[in-house]
Amino acid sequence: MSNTFVFGHKNPDTDTITSAIVYAYLKNQIGHSAEAVRLGDVAGETAYALGFFGVEAPRLVTSVEKGQPVILVDHNEFQQSADGIEEAHILEVIDHHRIANFETADPVYYRAEPVGCTATILLKLFKEHGVEVPKEIAGLMLSAIISDSLLFKSPTCTEQDVKAARELEQLAGVSAEEYGLDMLKAGADVSSKTIEDLLTLDAKEFGMGDYKVEIAQVNVVDPQDVLGRQSEIEAAIHERISEKELDLYFFVVTDILNNDSVALALGKMANKAEDAFNVVFTNHTAVLKGVVSRKKQVVPALTEALSN
Amino acid sequence: MSNTFVFGHKNPDTDTITSAIVYAYLKNQIGHSAEAVRLGDVAGETAYALGFFGVEAPRLVTSVEKGQPVILVDHNEFQQSADGIEEAHILEVIDHHRIANFETADPVYYRAEPVGCTATILLKLFKEHGVEVPKEIAGLMLSAIISDSLLFKSPTCTEQDVKAARELEQLAGVSAEEYGLDMLKAGADVSSKTIEDLLTLDAKEFGMGDYKVEIAQVNVVDPQDVLGRQSEIEAAIHERISEKELDLYFFVVTDILNNDSVALALGKMANKAEDAFNVVFTNHTAVLKGVVSRKKQVVPALTEALSN
């Protein structure tokens, strides 16, 4: 049997890629043979972080064999994981999301905490195991916290995340605010992104009540950079809806400077988005004031609206 | 809203009752208002442990209201939990079982480790929070480890469980071997137990493949004490099978002195028990050499046989 694979979710973001690298590093330090892999392309923001700290991206793996030992980071829902995950041997999960559509045949090590970022939990694990955090590993963990918290502005961000980030910026030798804004801007540059990119780079599928919902999110400096292409985007979304038999496609364009989002809702359950956020959608779009977090704001609101 | 309830599974065993008491104690020490409750009757072994260390049993609760804050210990599968658990607000889970049929709307604190007993994880949490373990709390944790590991004989027992038990016997001021055998014998006295007791005191329901399976276990000093009543037991099991629409009822009578079990298998999928354990059942029963653990030996074997 090969090494244990450590990976995050499909459509990897910065926390998912860096947490795989960071936790594989820790496992190897404490005597387990583990390899970080990724389930999809490295996004611009993540590439910036990896480049800055001089760390290579993990290799791409899209499916796992029956019995393959795996460790999941930054996710647990099977539909967000590798193809074949049902038949893999899940040894551990380190995560900070809700738990759903997850199951094992045997007892596992499962460590989830309601914090803003997987990296915040990983820093605790370094301490529990008495392993030092090298500069580049600290830099990757800091990048993950900045990314998931939009530089501490997201409601998902907890005191523990801020405390971890302050400790990590010392170890990494950078200023969270200065480095962080450069990193977020690198990720928010949509000028070179295709419509396909916008809808797939950070998309996740969810079961809500009896419905199948996909929520894609993209960070921008100006929402108009994306919404200027609305009609093409809608056409592409309609294709995805019929291909994947979705009941709702919810596209969230998040303004990282003002910390608001514009949402575009399509699909036969799109009218429920009005109930979820108590706003009126015009031309399928609405501004969601203060909404920046898919996990803490979008998913719970839609789940409730679709369960009633 | 009331206190946070801390509880283990239905048909509570010693780990479930004591872990609720112990973790509620820890939560209160670190500033959270929590109350241990139980979902069913206190069994003989558990009563012995509570009596020995002078601790009262938690009060009985059978269902939880919508939105009730709860912490689950020693279980996660909803069918083993309180009625109404789907609508409760699950804040935390501390467990050592496989994860299945569990879901939350929001991120939770989930701490599962593949060790033999919840108490072993709880002892770590006392250390992480820097809280001292009082004598009677140590005694309850020790009782849980002895119970779940059958005095360190079960294959579920890990080095971490033994290490925790050795530490706890110092704190509790008892010998694990001496106190433990008395406690196990108190639980293995089936002379006063009704057929109903035997089938319900430690029964758990599982989804395996497409099938619904109930597995009951009883510890005895001599399996004949139970199997002498086989025809009455079979009649009662057939009633349970039709009431609950079970595909398999698997009754495990475990000899705590020799560390073997006799199994009784009934229901339309009973023939799969032969594949699961590679033995021939005669008159619906078979000796399972070295099998003492439902979790580590019985559940995985039946799950595999029923999934093929």
Side-chain angles (χ1 to χ4, degrees), chain B residues 9 37 175 183 217 275 287:
Chain B
H9 52 76
V37 299
S175 142
M183 186 194 80
Q217 184 169 25
D275 305 345
V287 174

XYZ file of all heavy atoms in Angstrom, chain B residues 9 37 175 183 217 275 287:
55
model
N -25.180 7.238 24.763
C -26.172 6.554 23.935
C -27.312 5.932 24.737
O -27.261 5.847 25.962
C -25.493 5.483 23.075
C -24.621 4.526 23.834
N -25.127 3.505 24.599
C -23.271 4.450 23.943
C -24.117 2.831 25.135
N -22.976 3.387 24.760
N -27.069 13.961 31.711
C -28.341 13.240 31.768
C -28.114 11.855 31.151
O -27.046 11.576 30.606
C -29.491 13.993 31.037
C -29.737 15.359 31.671
C -29.209 14.140 29.546
N -6.951 -0.621 42.931
C -6.230 -1.450 41.964
C -7.188 -1.757 40.816
O -8.308 -2.228 41.039
C -5.783 -2.754 42.630
O -5.903 -3.839 41.717
N -16.221 -5.206 39.679
C -17.193 -4.420 38.913
C -17.759 -5.234 37.742
O -18.969 -5.255 37.508
C -16.531 -3.133 38.398
C -17.507 -2.192 37.710
S -16.671 -0.891 36.755
C -16.250 -1.801 35.270
N -25.628 -7.208 23.328
C -24.512 -7.928 23.943
C -24.747 -8.017 25.434
O -25.261 -7.094 26.055
C -23.193 -7.183 23.659
C -21.970 -7.936 24.189
C -20.656 -7.353 23.684
O -20.592 -6.176 23.334
N -19.610 -8.167 23.649
N -20.896 -16.177 6.896
C -19.828 -15.569 6.093
C -19.002 -14.604 6.940
O -17.777 -14.536 6.829
C -20.408 -14.735 4.933
C -21.355 -15.545 4.067
O -21.327 -16.783 4.184
O -22.114 -14.928 3.280
N -20.060 -20.499 18.518
C -19.049 -19.911 19.395
C -18.130 -19.053 18.520
O -17.672 -19.495 17.476
C -18.220 -21.005 20.106
C -17.074 -20.359 20.892
C -19.108 -21.823 21.042
